[in-house]
Structure formats: C-alpha cells, structure tokens
Amino acid sequence: MPTAISILQEPQQFQPAYNSNAWVVTSTNNAQPSFKYIAKININGNIIVEKTAPHPVYGSAYFNPARMLESIVKYDVTNDAYGINTDGYSIQKYSINFYEEWEIGGVIVENPAYAKGAEKYIYNGIIDYLNYAEYDENLYLIDGTKANKILNHYLHREVRMQDNGWLYYMINDVKNLEFITIQAYDELGGTMINNVVLQNPFQDNTNTSHHHIRFDACPNGLNQIDVGFIYSGSQPIIPSNCKYYEIDLDGRSLLTFSIVEDNCKYQTFRLHYQNNMGAFESFNFMLASKHTETIKREKYKGIVGGLIGASSYGYSVSDRSTTNYYTIIKDTYKVRTNWLTEEYKDVLEQLVSSPVVYWENDDYQMIPIDITNTTYEIGRAH
C-alpha cells in the first residue's frame, strides 16, 4: 500500500511542555472503511501509540501529546555543583511517526508506509495563553533570531557575597555560545578589578541536555568554580572588594549585579523558586520576618489509679489522665521585601504561584517549602 498520509502542521522545534503541542495529519485514504490515523510517539526509545478517527468534515486528524510529554520533564537545581551544568531533567526529545489503518476483507490492516515527523525538544515551561497564541521559539532561545533571551529575568540583581544563584538559557545550536565573561568592579562605573572568561564545554548538538544550560551567577558559586571552566582570568572571580559586576553571554545578553550587605537587624531569607520557563530565580527577603509555630497534638485518656499492692487500690502522683501520643509542629514564616520597582512586581508574582520553592539557609541547606499566600499584596509608595 503506497503512502498517502502527510503532516499538515507540527510544533516548532522547541516547545513548552505545559502548552499544546499540536500535530495535524491527513490522508487520501481517509474514506476507507474503519479508517484510523496512528501516531507512534517515541520518547527516549519508548513507543506510545495513539489512534483516532478522521474528522467527519475535514478528514484530517489532530494529535496533542502534551499531557504525556509534561510528565517526562522535571527541573534542575543544586547549590553544590559549581560551574556550568547541563539540565538533563528540564529538556527532553521526542518524535512522532504517523501511520494509517483500515479494514480490508474484514481485517484491520496497517499501512507500513508512514509520514516521519521531525524531532522536537520539550522543555519545562508554560507560556500564558495570550503570548502562546503567537508563540515563536526564537523569542526564548539565547541564539534565537529575535530576542537572544535567557530563561531568567533581566532586571538588576542585588546579591550578597555568600549567595548562590543561577542563570539558565536554552539554545538551538550549542556552538553559538561558548564563552561567558564576568567583569568585576570596585563600584558602579568604577575600576575593573577582575575579568574572567568561562568556557562552556557542552558543545555537542546531538546531546539533548546540551541545549539547556545553567551556570552559577552569584558570588559564592562563582568563587567556587573549578579552574577547568576558566578560559582566562583567575579566582576569586568576585573579589572581596567588588561592589558591582556584569555577566556577558558571548555578546548576546548582559546581566548586572550589585553586592549588598545583610541588614544586621533582621535575618535574611534567600528563596529559590521555579519560574514559568522552568528556570530558578533567587531573591533575598531582608526586612523583618515573623516566625510562628503551630502545634497539633493527638491525645488519649488513660485510667488513673491502680493496684498498689496485693490487696489495695490507690493513686500515684505520676498518674496521667491524658497522654500525648502524636505531635506535629508546623513552622510558618512571614517575610518582607523592601520597596520594589514595578518590574520586580511581575518577577516576584511568580514566586507566589511557583510549584517548586526552596529556602537556602545560612548553612547552605536547600529546604523545600510551600508558599501559603492565596493573594499577592503589593504596597505602593505615594
């Protein structure tokens, strides 16, 4: 049986996992008895088969593997793997081949000829409906033809010398970004005190994880990067007298950072949270915080008194009528920022809705937490 099936529409090469990934196919055989389109979806060597009948008017068919694809992408974050890292959990590759079948002589027969779909990358992201209606992958790739974007925000950051934090990017041709430059200054607009170039060793386009990269961008992580990543310059990348530094991604993106000190009056809470593009943002809450412990106890009532000898009944001062047998303590923290710009409002709004949030304490422990806010309150100065 000759092939008659063709692909009318397919997703772009890089697609967010939590949006629609629409494929549309048609065939000149769609009027055959008991006709069905077959999608054989290859995910990491595992084949998943879906079948559907042709549309009653158009004769074509629509496949959307998004729900099964979103289950295979996770996230990548760790504060002890310094340098440049691949994000093997944040991006996956899949492909679809389309077949057809119909009834011949009372038997359902599959046509061995098929239409081959191009390989696609699925990444851990979601685009809001209005923007996804005109989705263009080039707006989200560091080597895209329209934006040269990283997956984090571009606003100026204030960080402490002890902070960890990362920048993430996604790239089509991995050879388009080999060097990352960090320039440290003694003050904004001041004298450059260090110039370090990092070399990205992940330059294999056939390796899926090389298309999604994160690297340390805050002082603690930068100052612990192994010399194997350093193409020129030396440690410490961020000297102790640094007040301001810039990160340049091979001329494609420029990020700026200022060094600030802790407010000695309050405890600083550093939170890392997953944004809508699957990257992790970081933010310091440096004003007054409130800590509340909620205690829940399960109790049972015991019998007071008992035999105190062979022939007498009595009581002991240690007898308890009520005993706690199960106790839960729930810690809740209320943290505050200083006044923020309007642009930062949108950045922190994603913290409230983020599915994954970590509190990195002063011992560099990454503690998973839940954000309990059901509203996002924004104070305004007048």
Side-chain angles (χ1 to χ4, degrees), residues 178-182 195-199 229-234:
E178 185 176 3
F179 298 106
I180 299 169
T181 302
I182 303 100
N195 183 44
V196 175
V197 178
L198 306 179
Q199 186 171 25
F229 287 106
I230 297 178
Y231 179 79
S232 65
S234 61

Side-chain angles (χ1 to χ4, degrees), residues 84-367:
I84 303 173
N85 291 278
T86 58
D87 298 328
Y89 293 109
S90 298
I91 190 168
Q92 298 289 333
K93 184 188 290 186
Y94 81 99
S95 61
I96 305 181
N97 290 337
F98 293 96
Y99 295 76
E100 56 191 357
E101 66 178 22
W102 63 85
E103 181 182 334
I104 300 177
V107 178
I108 299 297
V109 178
E110 180 181 304
N111 186 349
Y114 62 91
K116 181 179 179 62
E119 290 184 323
K120 307 296 180 183
Y121 294 103
I122 200 85
Y123 62 90
N124 188 353
I126 183 170
I127 312 295
D128 66 78
Y129 176 77
L130 292 178
N131 288 325
Y132 193 69
E134 298 181 356
Y135 176 77
D136 186 340
E137 63 183 19
N138 287 294
L139 294 173
Y140 304 95
L141 294 167
I142 194 68
D143 61 341
T145 58
K146 293 186 177 179
N148 299 143
K149 280 189 176 181
I150 60 170
L151 301 178
N152 301 83
H153 72 78
Y154 274 85
L155 302 179
H156 180 80
R157 292 165 168 81
E158 293 185 345
V159 296
R160 303 168 300 165
M161 286 297 293
Q162 65 265 41
D163 282 345
N164 288 313
W166 311 271
L167 294 178
Y168 293 68
Y169 69 83
M170 191 165 55
I171 190 166
N172 181 19
D173 184 349
V174 300
K175 298 184 184 300
N176 281 338
L177 203 164
E178 185 176 3
F179 298 106
I180 299 169
T181 302
I182 303 100
Q183 295 181 333
Y185 299 85
D186 59 358
E187 61 181 334
L188 177 61
T191 302
M192 184 187 300
I193 54 178
N194 203 7
N195 183 44
V196 175
V197 178
L198 306 179
Q199 186 171 25
N200 176 15
F202 305 109
Q203 300 286 300
D204 182 2
N205 273 311
T206 65
N207 190 318
T208 299
S209 66
H210 289 199
H211 293 273
H212 202 292
I213 298 291
R214 76 184 185 280
F215 61 93
D216 285 277
C218 289
N220 183 66
L222 286 170
N223 286 345
Q224 299 195 58
I225 289 179
D226 186 86
V227 295
F229 287 106
I230 297 178
Y231 179 79
S232 65
S234 61
Q235 288 283 15
I237 295 175
I238 308 299
S240 59
N241 60 330
C242 175
K243 299 299 181 184
Y244 172 85
Y245 65 95
E246 298 177 341
I247 297 180
D248 180 7
L249 280 74
D250 232 1
R252 296 179 180 275
S253 292
L254 182 68
L255 291 305
T256 61
F257 299 74
S258 291
I259 306 294
V260 297
E261 301 299 329
D262 272 323
N263 187 329
C264 59
K265 292 175 58 179
Y266 308 119
Q267 178 184 1
T268 295
F269 286 83
R270 184 156 183 82
L271 302 187
H272 306 290
Y273 61 97
Q274 187 181 30
N275 68 16
N276 291 347
M277 297 304 295
F280 276 79
E281 307 283 10
S282 305
F283 193 84
N284 288 329
F285 291 81
M286 303 180 73
L287 293 187
S289 61
K290 182 179 180 181
H291 178 198
T292 303
E293 285 190 351
T294 303
I295 303 173
K296 179 181 179 182
R297 296 183 176 92
E298 301 289 345
K299 305 177 180 181
Y300 71 88
K301 284 197 170 185
I303 299 174
V304 178
L307 289 174
I308 58 175
S311 58
S312 61
Y313 183 93
Y315 300 90
S316 169
V317 293
S318 62
D319 286 344
R320 297 175 62 95
S321 62
T322 303
T323 299
N324 295 324
Y325 69 90
Y326 184 63
T327 302
I328 298 176
I329 300 176
K330 179 181 178 181
D331 292 298
T332 302
Y333 294 87
K334 186 175 183 179
V335 296
R336 294 177 58 209
T337 72
N338 207 329
W339 291 106
L340 299 173
T341 63
E342 284 293 311
E343 291 82 6
Y344 253 107
K345 170 187 71 71
D346 295 330
V347 172
L348 281 186
E349 187 175 6
Q350 292 191 37
L351 167 61
V352 177
S353 61
S354 176
V356 184
V357 183
Y358 288 96
W359 167 31
E360 185 178 22
N361 65 16
D362 292 338
D363 295 323
Y364 294 109
Q365 295 172 308
M366 297 281 279
I367 302 169

